[in-house]
Amino acid sequence: MKSAPTEYLRPAAAEDVPALLALRTEAEEWLRSKGTDQWSDPETGEKAITKWRASIDEGRAWVVVGERDEVLATVSRGPVDRDFWSDADRPESALYLYKLIVAREASGRHLGTRVIDWMCRLAALEGRTWVRIDTWRTNTGLHTYYERLGFRHVRTEAPAHRRSGWLAQRPVGKLVMPDDPLLISPSEGAHGGVASRAEVPVQRR
């Protein structure tokens, strides 16, 4: 018999900001230990935090919480980044995934995989074809991680003012762990492991 889930998704709230910043700091330290320069620029970090607060205010940031409502992971969605994706990419055909971070203590629970699966389900509900990402150009380990999860490299863009630009996408129908979905927190009133349009703001096309 399958055990009851111990992790849930819920919208991020203002009171989650300290936990989210702690997640980011932990990720920065872990990345440095792996020899990558991702998130090593303090200015980049400050800009990212400002965008994070905005995404919370706009209802675009989510957290995965454990049994004690502790934050174990986070993910955000956002508009198409025009530094990378053009009209030829049909930007309206995709959901754009940002700021996927998993706490080191939750390593091994496949939370990143399950969050991406949930994003794919959400994108499918909205009639989209792809989930798209852009990642740090030099973080080849992260590129490999996403490729293992079914993302295909589209191309690499290198605008002078950006350090991200490795672009990839995954079909919304490609679920890696379809039998172990992340559910919405019961307090949010969702059911069936997939958020409805009413529960998650639809991305502007």
Side-chain angles (χ1 to χ4, degrees):
M1 182 176 179
K2 191 172 182 179
S3 60
T6 57
E7 304 98 8
Y8 290 95
L9 272 160
R10 64 167 173 78
E15 55 266 30
D16 293 317
V17 168
L20 293 174
L21 296 182
L23 266 187
R24 167 141 183 147
T25 298
E26 180 185 59
E28 289 170 347
E29 293 172 353
W30 182 76
L31 287 165
R32 278 195 294 273
S33 75
K34 296 295 181 182
T36 175
D37 64 349
Q38 181 166 339
W39 291 351
S40 60
D41 184 337
E43 183 180 9
T44 300
E46 188 60 36
K47 288 180 180 178
I49 290 167
T50 299
K51 290 179 181 179
W52 216 343
R53 291 180 185 275
S55 68
I56 291 172
D57 291 343
E58 295 167 8
R60 296 187 287 103
W62 286 71
V63 291
V64 179
V65 297
E67 293 176 298
R68 300 180 303 279
D69 204 41
E70 71 276 21
V71 175
L72 301 175
T74 185
V75 70
S76 297
R77 64 178 303 173
V80 57
D81 192 326
R82 286 298 190 168
D83 280 345
F84 303 134
W85 303 97
S86 69
D87 287 343
D89 297 308
R90 296 185 59 242
E92 73 283 354
S93 68
L95 181 153
Y96 295 86
L97 184 155
Y98 299 100
K99 294 184 176 64
L100 174 59
I101 307 174
V102 178
R104 300 312 305 155
E105 69 172 282
S107 178
R109 300 193 201 182
H110 306 292
L111 292 185
T113 302
R114 294 162 69 198
V115 165
I116 294 169
D117 277 359
W118 179 75
M119 282 289 197
C120 282
R121 289 186 169 99
L122 175 57
L125 280 175
E126 295 180 356
R128 302 180 192 275
T129 304
W130 309 100
V131 168
R132 286 177 175 161
I133 57 172
D134 66 81
T135 72
W136 212 258
R137 295 193 295 270
T138 58
N139 193 342
T140 56
L142 188 59
H143 305 166
T144 300
Y145 168 78
Y146 279 117
E147 287 174 331
R148 284 203 310 267
L149 296 182
F151 283 84
R152 292 192 62 184
H153 180 222
V154 176
R155 64 181 178 273
T156 298
E157 298 283 355
H161 63 294
R162 300 291 296 274
R163 300 177 75 176
S164 189
W166 187 86
L167 310 182
Q169 62 188 16
R170 189 175 105 171
V172 299
K174 187 177 182 66
L175 302 180
V176 178
M177 300 182 69
D179 298 324
D180 193 12
L182 277 171
L183 305 182
I184 306 301
S185 174
S187 63
E188 298 302 324
H191 59 278
V194 182
S196 72
R197 287 179 185 270
E199 290 154 352
V200 181
V202 174
Q203 181 170 300
R204 292 185 181 87
R205 293 177 181 264

